[in-house]
């Protein structure tokens, strides 16, 4: 099933992936692309967490959802849509809690909420695992890998979320997925990318 992937990363790394589990917090736009792109890389388990229900304005950028899904829980629907390979997918309907009793090797942030990200950081530090931060707003996106560095380095003042384009969400979600795969196979460096597509594609890279 994973022949073309094994050609790139090797059999040994594929076996590593086969024994890894991840948590995705948030099943909106970023959660859709992250969950879809890692659903068939050979992971052991994927956990999806979201309290929210699907609304009509979600559908343009949350591409796994359709009009028939309106009113249903995002985690439940997304879990069903990505069950196309042999990875176990578990939907957890509700709010993320840093004291959740689940064992994973990596956490993906797919939220739009600084307070939840602080909880993700606490959960990851408690379990000594990395997590991937991601955000999209207008023509800009940010993706970063946190392990030892505290998320408190970010300004945590909440503000109103601005507009989003589906391709920009997909771009940032895909970068997040790639960083996650590299972390899972042992190449996990704390790094931060700032992506600007307002005029032309510009990517700035920073190290913690």
């Amino acid at each position: 099933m994973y022949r073309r992937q094994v050609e790139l990363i090797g059999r040994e790394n594929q076996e590593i992936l086969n024994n890894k589990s991840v948590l995705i917090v948030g099943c909106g736009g970023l959660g859709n692309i992250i969950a879809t792109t890692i659903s068939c890389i050979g992971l052991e388990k994927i956990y999806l967490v979201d309290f929210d229900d699907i609304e009509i304005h979600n559908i343009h950028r949350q591409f796994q959802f359709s009009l028939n899904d309106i009113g249903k829980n995002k985690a439940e629907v997304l879990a069903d849509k990505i069950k196309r390979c042999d990875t176990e997918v578990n939907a957890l309907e509700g709010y993320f809690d840093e004291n959740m009793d689940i064992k994973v090797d990596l956490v993906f942030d797919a939220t739009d909420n600084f307070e939840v990200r602080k909880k993700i950081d606490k959960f990851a530090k408690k379990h000594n695992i990395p997590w991937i931060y991601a955000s999209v707003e207008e023509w800009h996106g940010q993706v970063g890998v946190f392990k030892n560095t505290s998320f408190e380095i970010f300004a945590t003042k909440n503000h109103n979320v601005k507009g989003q384009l589906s391709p920009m969400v997909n771009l940032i979600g895909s970068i997040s997925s790639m960083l996650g795969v590299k972390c899972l196979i042992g190449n996990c460096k704390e790094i931060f990318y700032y992506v600007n597509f307002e005029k032309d594609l510009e990517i700035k890279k920073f190290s913690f």
Side-chain angles (χ1 to χ4, degrees), residues 139-157:
W139 306 100
H140 313 279
Q142 299 177 337
V143 190
V145 179
F146 285 85
K147 187 173 182 182
N148 299 316
T149 303
S150 171
F151 186 66
E152 293 293 337
I153 65 171
F154 273 81
T156 55
K157 181 180 179 180

Side-chain angles (χ1 to χ4, degrees), residues 10 18 33 55 62 93 97 112 118 131 134 147 162 208:
N18 294 160
I33 188 66
E55 299 180 59
Q62 300 175 17
E93 181 178 350
D97 183 344
D112 56 6
K118 290 179 185 178
W131 68 282
K147 187 173 182 182
K162 298 179 182 178
F208 296 131

Side-chain angles (χ1 to χ4, degrees), residues 63-87:
F63 62 89
Q64 289 285 16
F65 304 149
S66 68
L67 293 174
N68 292 331
D69 297 318
I70 292 174
K72 300 175 184 178
N73 175 260
K74 291 182 179 180
E76 295 283 354
V77 174
L78 185 57
D80 185 61
K81 296 290 179 69
I82 66 170
K83 289 178 180 176
R84 57 195 182 92
C85 291
D86 55 359
T87 296

Side-chain angles (χ1 to χ4, degrees), residues 23-27 49-51 94-100 107-124 131-134 151-152 156 158:
L23 167 65
I24 302 172
V25 183
C27 296
V49 178
D50 203 307
F51 70 93
Y95 290 91
F96 174 75
D97 183 344
E98 66 264 37
N99 297 311
M100 294 182 79
V107 183
F108 288 96
D109 158 46
T111 71
D112 56 6
N113 186 298
F114 269 113
E115 296 305 314
V116 177
R117 289 169 179 144
K118 290 179 185 178
K119 293 181 179 181
I120 293 173
D121 191 52
K122 290 178 181 177
F123 176 89
W131 68 282
I132 314 293
Y133 159 77
F151 186 66
E152 293 293 337
T156 55
N158 283 318

